[in-house]
Amino acid sequence: GDSVTQTEGLVTLTEGLPVMLNCTYQTAYSTFLFWYVQHLNEAPKLLLKSSTDNKRTEHQGFHATLHKSSSSFHLQKSSAQLSDSALYYCALSDPYTDKVVFGTGTRLQVSP
Amino acid sequence: EAAVTQSPRNKVAVTGGKVTLSCNQTNNHNNMYWYRQDTGHGLRLIHYSYGAGSTEKGDIPDGYKASRPSQENFSLILELATPSQTSVYFCASGARDRGNSGNTLYFGEGSRLIVV
């Protein structure tokens, strides 16, 4: 079945440093990949998404590129802000069943 | 105005009791989902639905039932609650956009359940 792997449970950064959160996936079908962000005591919400190989997708200062050759969809930002502190989920959508599978999440903590 | 609303937001239940978590969406989406969120496990899919009258098992359906009586409403039912079901539960509605870039989910605010 489909699966998503996020290897880091916690990433701690100083404000202004670059962010990179890892995401790899396994699927037998076409790929729709997502990043969701969940701030403290809030609901998860979509940050960005892609289904196009090797195309950079950007939103709110974050970007990610889907690489089907390596089954990866890493989330990046050039300079972390305090407000980026949140839980980030990578997710995969099955195009045939519309089932959406999430990774275990990466908590990003940005300090001054 | 919130498009996916859950009730109750907080619930304390006794072991062996019945718990019903309700979800209402005004997005007019066909798909609805129930996830539980636990530290170290992320969001795990319990049940989902393609529309009124439809329920499908997710990845961790044991101990849970689901009901979709209408397009707008999707309930999660714990017939015999156990302490291991203590968690935060999220409901979501989903739809593919016109670019067909996958099924985007829209979440409710979550329901915190404690089973004692």
Side-chain angles (χ1 to χ4, degrees):
Chain A
D2 297 337
S3 66
V4 176
T5 301
Q6 295 180 252
T7 53
E8 310 110 340
L10 173 66
V11 172
T12 57
L13 286 174
T14 301
E15 191 177 17
L17 290 180
V19 177
M20 181 162 171
L21 306 183
N22 292 318
C23 174
T24 57
Y25 63 89
Q26 287 188 311
T27 180
Y29 304 117
S30 301
T31 39
F32 297 105
L33 270 292
F34 304 78
W35 278 99
Y36 286 82
V37 58
Q38 183 181 20
H39 289 96
L40 191 62
N41 296 323
E42 295 185 7
K45 59 184 179 183
L46 180 69
L47 179 58
L48 49 79
K49 61 184 178 182
S50 180
S51 59
T52 306
D53 198 13
N54 297 318
K55 180 180 177 182
R56 175 171 161 144
T57 300
E58 298 190 33
H59 188 61
Q60 297 183 339
F62 287 90
H63 63 92
T65 303
L66 177 60
H67 292 296
K68 294 185 180 181
S69 60
S70 59
S71 300
S72 67
F73 190 56
H74 305 319
L75 182 68
Q76 298 182 69
K77 188 178 185 184
S78 59
S79 175
Q81 298 177 292
L82 294 176
S83 58
D84 294 330
S85 295
L87 183 57
Y88 291 81
Y89 285 106
C90 185
L92 172 65
S93 172
D94 185 314
Y96 297 100
T97 66
D98 282 341
K99 183 178 171 183
V100 181
V101 175
F102 287 80
T104 51
T106 298
R107 183 167 297 282
L108 177 63
Q109 288 184 352
V110 182
S111 56
Chain B
E1 186 174 332
V4 181
T5 55
Q6 298 181 223
S7 63
R9 295 291 311 280
N10 294 281
K11 171 80 176 177
V12 178
V14 295
T15 298
K18 182 177 180 179
V19 176
T20 299
L21 303 179
S22 300
C23 179
N24 176 276
Q25 57 114 351
T26 57
N27 295 320
N28 197 31
H29 290 161
N30 289 333
N31 298 340
M32 295 187 74
Y33 305 77
W34 276 107
Y35 291 88
R36 62 177 286 176
Q37 181 178 48
D38 304 283
T39 303
H41 293 279
L43 290 162
R44 290 181 291 174
L45 182 63
I46 306 170
H47 285 288
Y48 59 110
S49 169
Y50 295 120
S54 144
T55 61
E56 306 291 329
K57 292 182 179 179
D59 297 321
I60 54 163
D62 292 347
Y64 302 94
K65 288 172 54 180
S67 174
R68 183 87 182 269
S70 64
Q71 176 83 338
E72 298 80 17
N73 295 294
F74 189 39
S75 297
L76 186 68
I77 303 152
L78 292 66
E79 295 278 7
L80 295 170
T82 68
S84 64
Q85 294 175 313
T86 293
S87 187
V88 179
Y89 292 84
F90 283 96
C91 175
S93 69
R96 300 186 186 201
D97 61 24
R98 282 172 289 181
N100 195 28
S101 56
N103 186 29
T104 298
L105 299 189
Y106 299 83
F107 285 87
E109 294 297 314
S111 296
R112 184 175 299 274
L113 173 65
I114 298 172
V115 182
V116 298

